[in-house]
Coordinates of all heavy atoms in Angstrom, one line a residue:
Chain A
T5 N 37.5 -2.3 57.4 CA 38.4 -2.3 56.3 C 39.5 -3.3 56.6 O 40.3 -3.2 57.6 CB 39.0 -0.9 56.1 OG1 38.0 0.0 55.9 CG2 40.0 -0.9 54.9
Q6 N 39.6 -4.3 55.7 CA 40.6 -5.4 55.8 C 41.8 -5.1 54.9 O 41.7 -4.6 53.8 CB 40.0 -6.7 55.5 CG 39.0 -7.2 56.5 CD 38.5 -8.6 56.2 OE1 37.3 -8.8 56.0 NE2 39.4 -9.5 56.3
S7 N 43.0 -5.5 55.4 CA 44.2 -5.4 54.6 C 45.1 -6.5 54.9 O 45.1 -7.0 56.0 CB 44.9 -4.0 54.8 OG 45.3 -3.9 56.2
P8 N 45.9 -6.9 53.9 CA 45.8 -6.5 52.5 C 44.6 -7.2 51.9 O 44.0 -8.1 52.5 CB 47.1 -7.0 51.9 CG 47.4 -8.3 52.7 CD 46.9 -8.0 54.1
A9 N 44.3 -6.9 50.6 CA 43.2 -7.6 49.9 C 43.6 -9.0 49.6 O 42.8 -9.9 49.6 CB 42.9 -6.8 48.6
T10 N 44.9 -9.2 49.2 CA 45.4 -10.5 48.9 C 46.8 -10.7 49.6 O 47.6 -9.7 49.6 CB 45.6 -10.6 47.4 OG1 44.3 -10.4 46.7 CG2 46.0 -12.1 47.0
L11 N 47.0 -11.9 50.1 CA 48.2 -12.2 50.7 C 48.8 -13.5 50.0 O 48.1 -14.5 50.1 CB 47.9 -12.5 52.2 CG 49.0 -12.4 53.3 CD1 49.8 -11.1 53.1 CD2 48.4 -12.5 54.6
S12 N 49.9 -13.4 49.4 CA 50.5 -14.5 48.7 C 51.6 -15.1 49.6 O 52.7 -14.4 49.8 CB 51.0 -14.1 47.4 OG 50.0 -13.6 46.5
L13 N 51.4 -16.3 50.1 CA 52.4 -16.9 51.0 C 52.5 -18.4 50.6 O 51.7 -19.0 49.9 CB 51.9 -16.8 52.4 CG 51.8 -15.3 53.0 CD1 51.1 -15.3 54.3 CD2 53.2 -14.8 53.2
S14 N 53.6 -19.0 51.2 CA 53.8 -20.4 51.0 C 53.4 -21.2 52.2 O 53.4 -20.6 53.3 CB 55.3 -20.6 50.7 OG 55.7 -19.9 49.6
P15 N 53.1 -22.4 52.1 CA 52.8 -23.3 53.3 C 54.0 -23.2 54.2 O 55.1 -23.2 53.9 CB 52.6 -24.7 52.7 CG 52.2 -24.4 51.3 CD 52.9 -23.2 50.8
G16 N 53.6 -23.1 55.5 CA 54.6 -23.0 56.6 C 54.9 -21.6 57.0 O 55.5 -21.4 58.1
E17 N 54.6 -20.6 56.1 CA 54.8 -19.2 56.5 C 53.7 -18.7 57.4 O 52.7 -19.3 57.6 CB 54.9 -18.4 55.2 CG 56.1 -18.6 54.4 CD 56.3 -17.5 53.3 OE1 55.4 -17.4 52.4 OE2 57.3 -16.7 53.4
R18 N 54.0 -17.6 58.0 CA 53.1 -16.9 59.0 C 52.3 -15.9 58.2 O 52.8 -15.1 57.4 CB 53.9 -16.2 60.0 CG 53.2 -15.5 61.1 CD 54.2 -14.7 62.0 NE 53.6 -14.2 63.2 CZ 53.5 -14.8 64.4 NH1 53.9 -16.0 64.5 NH2 53.0 -14.2 65.4
A19 N 51.0 -15.9 58.5 CA 50.1 -14.9 57.9 C 49.5 -14.0 58.9 O 49.1 -14.4 60.0 CB 48.9 -15.7 57.2
T20 N 49.6 -12.7 58.5 CA 49.0 -11.6 59.4 C 48.0 -10.8 58.7 O 48.4 -10.2 57.7 CB 50.2 -10.7 59.9 OG1 51.2 -11.6 60.6 CG2 49.6 -9.7 60.9
L21 N 46.8 -10.9 59.1 CA 45.7 -10.2 58.5 C 45.2 -9.1 59.4 O 45.1 -9.3 60.6 CB 44.5 -11.1 58.2 CG 44.7 -12.2 57.0 CD1 45.8 -13.2 57.4 CD2 43.4 -12.8 56.7
S22 N 44.8 -7.9 58.8 CA 44.4 -6.8 59.6 C 42.9 -6.4 59.3 O 42.5 -6.6 58.2 CB 45.3 -5.6 59.4 OG 46.6 -5.9 59.8
C23 N 42.3 -5.9 60.3 CA 40.9 -5.4 60.2 C 40.8 -4.1 61.0 O 41.2 -4.1 62.2 CB 39.9 -6.5 60.7 SG 38.2 -6.0 60.7
R24 N 40.4 -3.0 60.4 CA 40.2 -1.8 61.1 C 38.8 -1.3 61.0 O 38.2 -1.3 59.9 CB 41.1 -0.7 60.4 CG 41.0 0.7 61.0 CD 42.2 1.6 60.7 NE 43.4 1.2 61.4 CZ 44.5 1.8 61.2 NH1 44.7 2.8 60.4 NH2 45.6 1.4 61.9
A25 N 38.3 -0.9 62.2 CA 36.9 -0.5 62.3 C 36.8 1.1 62.2 O 37.7 1.7 62.7 CB 36.2 -1.0 63.5
S26 N 35.7 1.6 61.6 CA 35.5 3.0 61.5 C 35.2 3.7 62.8 O 35.3 4.9 63.0 CB 34.4 3.3 60.5 OG 33.2 2.7 60.9
Q27 N 34.8 2.9 63.8 CA 34.6 3.4 65.2 C 34.8 2.2 66.1 O 34.8 1.0 65.6 CB 33.2 4.0 65.4 CG 32.1 3.0 65.2 CD 30.7 3.7 65.3 OE1 30.3 4.4 64.3 NE2 30.0 3.6 66.4
S28 N 35.0 2.4 67.4 CA 35.3 1.4 68.3 C 34.2 0.3 68.3 O 33.0 0.6 68.4 CB 35.5 1.9 69.7 OG 35.7 0.8 70.6
V29 N 34.6 -1.0 68.3 CA 33.7 -2.1 68.4 C 34.0 -2.9 69.7 O 33.6 -4.0 69.9 CB 33.7 -3.0 67.2 CG1 33.3 -2.3 65.9 CG2 35.1 -3.7 67.0
S30 N 34.8 -2.2 70.6 CA 35.2 -2.9 71.8 C 36.0 -4.2 71.4 O 36.9 -4.1 70.6 CB 34.0 -3.2 72.7 OG 34.5 -3.7 74.0
S31 N 35.6 -5.3 72.0 CA 36.2 -6.6 71.6 C 35.3 -7.4 70.8 O 35.5 -8.6 70.6 CB 36.7 -7.3 72.8 OG 37.7 -6.7 73.5
Y32 N 34.2 -6.8 70.3 CA 33.2 -7.6 69.6 C 33.5 -7.8 68.1 O 32.7 -7.4 67.2 CB 31.8 -6.9 69.7 CG 31.4 -6.8 71.2 CD1 30.8 -5.6 71.7 CD2 31.5 -7.9 72.1 CE1 30.4 -5.5 73.0 CE2 31.1 -7.8 73.4 CZ 30.5 -6.6 73.8 OH 30.1 -6.5 75.1
L33 N 34.6 -8.5 67.9 CA 35.1 -8.7 66.5 C 35.3 -10.2 66.3 O 36.0 -10.8 67.2 CB 36.4 -7.9 66.3 CG 37.0 -7.6 64.9 CD1 37.6 -8.9 64.3 CD2 35.9 -7.1 64.0
A34 N 34.8 -10.7 65.2 CA 35.0 -12.1 64.9 C 35.7 -12.3 63.5 O 35.7 -11.3 62.7 CB 33.6 -12.8 64.8
W35 N 36.3 -13.4 63.3 CA 36.9 -13.8 62.1 C 36.3 -15.1 61.5 O 36.1 -16.0 62.3 CB 38.4 -14.0 62.3 CG 39.2 -12.7 62.6 CD1 39.5 -12.3 63.9 CD2 39.8 -11.8 61.7 NE1 40.3 -11.1 63.8 CE2 40.4 -10.8 62.5 CE3 39.9 -11.8 60.3 CZ2 41.1 -9.8 61.9 CZ3 40.6 -10.7 59.7 CH2 41.2 -9.7 60.5
F36 N 36.1 -15.0 60.2 CA 35.5 -16.2 59.5 C 36.5 -16.6 58.4 O 37.1 -15.8 57.8 CB 34.2 -15.9 59.0 CG 33.1 -15.6 60.0 CD1 32.9 -14.4 60.6 CD2 32.3 -16.7 60.5 CE1 32.0 -14.1 61.5 CE2 31.4 -16.4 61.5 CZ 31.2 -15.2 62.0
Q37 N 36.5 -17.9 58.1 CA 37.2 -18.4 56.9 C 36.1 -18.9 55.9 O 35.1 -19.6 56.3 CB 38.0 -19.6 57.3 CG 38.8 -20.3 56.2 CD 39.3 -21.6 56.7 OE1 38.6 -22.6 57.0 NE2 40.7 -21.7 56.8
Q38 N 36.3 -18.6 54.7 CA 35.4 -19.1 53.6 C 36.2 -19.7 52.5 O 37.0 -19.0 51.9 CB 34.4 -18.1 53.1 CG 33.3 -18.6 52.2 CD 32.3 -17.6 51.8 OE1 32.7 -16.4 51.6 NE2 31.1 -18.0 51.6
K39 N 35.8 -20.9 52.1 CA 36.4 -21.6 50.9 C 35.4 -21.6 49.8 O 34.2 -21.5 50.1 CB 36.8 -23.0 51.3 CG 37.9 -23.0 52.3 CD 38.4 -24.4 52.7 CE 39.5 -24.4 53.8 NZ 39.9 -25.8 54.2
P40 N 35.8 -21.7 48.6 CA 34.9 -21.6 47.4 C 33.7 -22.6 47.6 O 34.0 -23.8 47.8 CB 35.8 -21.9 46.2 CG 37.1 -21.5 46.7 CD 37.2 -21.8 48.1
G41 N 32.5 -22.1 47.4 CA 31.4 -23.0 47.4 C 30.9 -23.4 48.8 O 30.0 -24.3 48.9
Q42 N 31.5 -22.9 49.8 CA 31.2 -23.3 51.2 C 30.7 -22.1 52.0 O 31.0 -20.9 51.6 CB 32.4 -23.9 51.9 CG 32.9 -25.2 51.3 CD 34.0 -25.8 52.1 OE1 34.3 -25.4 53.3 NE2 34.8 -26.7 51.5
A43 N 30.0 -22.4 53.0 CA 29.6 -21.3 54.0 C 30.8 -20.9 54.8 O 31.8 -21.6 54.9 CB 28.5 -21.9 54.9
P44 N 30.7 -19.7 55.3 CA 31.8 -19.2 56.2 C 31.9 -20.1 57.4 O 30.9 -20.7 57.9 CB 31.4 -17.8 56.6 CG 30.5 -17.4 55.4 CD 29.7 -18.6 55.0
R45 N 33.1 -20.2 58.0 CA 33.3 -20.9 59.2 C 33.9 -20.0 60.3 O 34.8 -19.3 60.0 CB 34.2 -22.1 59.0 CG 34.6 -22.9 60.2 CD 35.4 -24.1 59.9 NE 36.8 -23.8 59.6 CZ 37.9 -24.6 60.0 NH1 37.7 -25.6 60.8 NH2 39.1 -24.3 59.6
L46 N 33.3 -20.0 61.5 CA 33.8 -19.2 62.6 C 35.1 -19.7 63.1 O 35.3 -20.8 63.4 CB 32.8 -19.2 63.7 CG 33.1 -18.4 65.0 CD1 33.2 -16.9 64.7 CD2 32.1 -18.7 66.1
L47 N 36.1 -18.7 63.1 CA 37.4 -19.1 63.6 C 37.6 -18.5 65.0 O 38.0 -19.2 66.0 CB 38.5 -18.5 62.7 CG 38.5 -19.0 61.3 CD1 39.6 -18.2 60.5 CD2 38.8 -20.4 61.2
I48 N 37.4 -17.2 65.1 CA 37.7 -16.4 66.3 C 36.5 -15.5 66.6 O 35.9 -14.9 65.7 CB 38.9 -15.5 66.1 CG1 40.2 -16.3 65.7 CG2 39.2 -14.6 67.3 CD1 40.8 -17.1 66.8
Y49 N 36.1 -15.4 67.9 CA 35.1 -14.5 68.3 C 35.6 -13.6 69.5 O 36.5 -14.0 70.2 CB 33.8 -15.2 68.6 CG 33.8 -16.1 69.8 CD1 33.4 -15.6 71.1 CD2 34.2 -17.4 69.7 CE1 33.4 -16.5 72.2 CE2 34.2 -18.3 70.8 CZ 33.8 -17.8 72.0 OH 33.8 -18.6 73.1
D50 N 34.9 -12.5 69.6 CA 35.3 -11.5 70.7 C 36.8 -11.3 70.7 O 37.5 -11.3 71.7 CB 34.8 -12.0 72.0 CG 33.2 -11.9 72.1 OD1 32.6 -11.4 71.1 OD2 32.6 -12.3 73.1
A51 N 37.3 -11.1 69.5 CA 38.7 -10.7 69.2 C 39.7 -11.8 69.4 O 40.7 -11.8 68.6 CB 39.1 -9.5 70.1
S52 N 39.6 -12.6 70.4 CA 40.7 -13.5 70.7 C 40.3 -14.9 71.1 O 41.2 -15.7 71.4 CB 41.6 -12.9 71.8 OG 40.9 -12.7 73.0
N53 N 39.0 -15.2 71.1 CA 38.6 -16.5 71.5 C 38.4 -17.5 70.3 O 37.7 -17.2 69.4 CB 37.2 -16.4 72.2 CG 37.3 -15.6 73.5 OD1 37.9 -16.0 74.5 ND2 36.7 -14.4 73.5
R54 N 39.2 -18.6 70.4 CA 39.0 -19.5 69.3 C 37.7 -20.3 69.4 O 37.3 -20.7 70.5 CB 40.2 -20.5 69.3 CG 41.4 -20.2 68.4 CD 42.3 -21.3 68.3 NE 42.8 -21.8 69.6 CZ 43.8 -21.3 70.3 NH1 44.4 -20.2 69.8 NH2 44.1 -21.8 71.4
A55 N 37.1 -20.5 68.3 CA 35.8 -21.2 68.3 C 36.1 -22.7 68.5 O 37.3 -23.2 68.3 CB 35.1 -21.0 67.0
T56 N 35.1 -23.5 68.8 CA 35.3 -24.9 69.0 C 35.9 -25.6 67.8 O 35.4 -25.4 66.7 CB 33.9 -25.5 69.3 OG1 33.3 -24.9 70.4 CG2 34.0 -27.0 69.6
G57 N 36.9 -26.4 68.0 CA 37.5 -27.2 67.0 C 38.5 -26.4 66.1 O 39.1 -27.0 65.2
I58 N 38.8 -25.2 66.4 CA 39.7 -24.4 65.6 C 41.2 -24.6 66.1 O 41.4 -24.5 67.3 CB 39.4 -22.9 65.6 CG1 38.0 -22.7 65.1 CG2 40.4 -22.1 64.8 CD1 37.7 -23.2 63.7
P59 N 42.1 -25.0 65.2 CA 43.5 -25.3 65.6 C 44.1 -24.1 66.2 O 43.8 -22.9 65.9 CB 44.1 -25.6 64.3 CG 43.1 -26.0 63.3 CD 41.9 -25.2 63.7

Side-chain angles (χ1 to χ4, degrees):
Chain A
T5 303
Q6 293 186 238
S7 61
T10 304
L11 201 50
S12 298
L13 295 168
S14 301
E17 289 194 294
R18 183 184 189 90
T20 302
L21 288 67
S22 294
C23 177
R24 175 164 289 180
S26 59
Q27 64 187 76
S28 175
V29 298
S30 185
S31 294
Y32 299 135
L33 195 286
W35 291 93
F36 294 86
Q37 176 194 68
Q38 188 178 33
K39 297 179 180 179
Q42 296 184 16
R45 177 175 73 142
L46 176 65
L47 300 175
I48 301 287
Y49 66 95
D50 291 354
S52 60
N53 296 292
R54 267 191 306 277
T56 302
I58 301 304

